[in-house]
Amino acid sequence: MPHSSAPVPPAPSGTPVPPGTSVPRAFTVCFVCTGNICRSPMAASVFRARVRDAGLDGFVVVDSAGTDGWHEGDGADPRTVAVLDSAGFETEHVARQFQADWFARLDLVIALDRGHQRSLRRLASTPEDADKVRLLRSYDTSAGVDLDVPDPYYGESDGFEECLTMVEAASEGLLEAVRDAVEGRAA
């Protein structure tokens, strides 16, 4: 779908904005899995590349977190790093636990499976915050009825490759939804 006019980018941090000028804030997306070392950093890396390739770098902020804090401060699982590296994606990452007060600054919270979706919706203090929580594979029209991205942590490297395939397939539809939201803000 062609997009005739590019949205106005948000002002860089510290840039003075003339009085009376409205500057849209960046659209924020946070991917969430269990420990924030496998699926969510993988999804964030892939989506960050899609955002950059689409020319939306200054318009979209991509983040990730885990529902649990078991791995806080750790890097991504080495198998995640290997799969991302071999596919040409960035791999810099530090695991964090999702906090309920983040809903205020996030536009979309992308859960990697239904368990994460339930946990995140329980954390939401308002119906509007709960509505921000979506399943990643819901953006993949070929996903069928099983919208979970399986946790590859306890398996072999082929599970990480399968995870990457699912993440890449869903990222295209998510990018279109985010692009539409960004353009809607700029209109």
Side-chain angles (χ1 to χ4, degrees):
M1 143 175 25
H3 299 280
S4 57
S5 63
V8 177
S13 190
T15 302
V17 177
T21 304
S22 173
V23 178
R25 71 172 176 81
F27 191 90
T28 55
V29 180
C30 185
F31 295 90
V32 182
C33 69
T34 306
N36 192 218
I37 60 168
C38 297
R39 293 172 284 177
S40 58
M42 184 182 292
S45 291
V46 169
F47 196 64
R48 215 174 269 118
R50 296 290 182 264
V51 164
R52 184 185 59 248
D53 293 349
L56 295 173
D57 247 358
F59 308 100
V60 180
V61 173
V62 180
D63 200 356
S64 72
T67 56
D68 296 300
W70 303 319
H71 299 286
E72 275 191 294
D74 294 347
D77 185 289
R79 297 165 294 178
T80 296
V81 172
V83 167
L84 288 170
D85 277 345
S86 69
F89 294 105
E90 70 173 64
T91 58
E92 191 175 315
H93 174 74
V94 177
R96 304 179 306 146
Q97 183 175 6
F98 188 89
Q99 302 298 314
D101 63 348
W102 293 6
F103 278 110
R105 67 173 174 83
L106 297 170
D107 295 294
L108 272 178
V109 180
I110 304 296
L112 276 289
D113 69 30
R114 285 185 170 95
H116 305 132
Q117 183 183 38
R118 284 189 299 275
S119 294
L120 291 162
R121 286 187 173 162
R122 280 193 301 269
L123 282 177
S125 61
T126 67
E128 293 78 21
D129 286 346
D131 285 344
K132 294 177 181 182
V133 181
R134 307 289 170 84
L135 286 167
L136 176 61
R137 291 194 71 207
S138 69
Y139 293 94
D140 179 0
T141 58
S142 66
V145 295
D146 183 5
L147 299 181
D148 288 350
V149 176
D151 188 353
Y153 185 75
Y154 295 103
E156 302 298 322
S157 62
D158 60 339
F160 287 81
E161 291 165 7
E162 177 187 9
C163 182
L164 180 61
T165 299
M166 291 178 175
V167 164
E168 287 185 297
S171 290
E172 294 305 318
L174 176 58
L175 180 64
E176 283 306 309
V178 168
R179 181 193 317 266
D180 290 347
V182 167
E183 290 179 351
R185 280 187 177 175

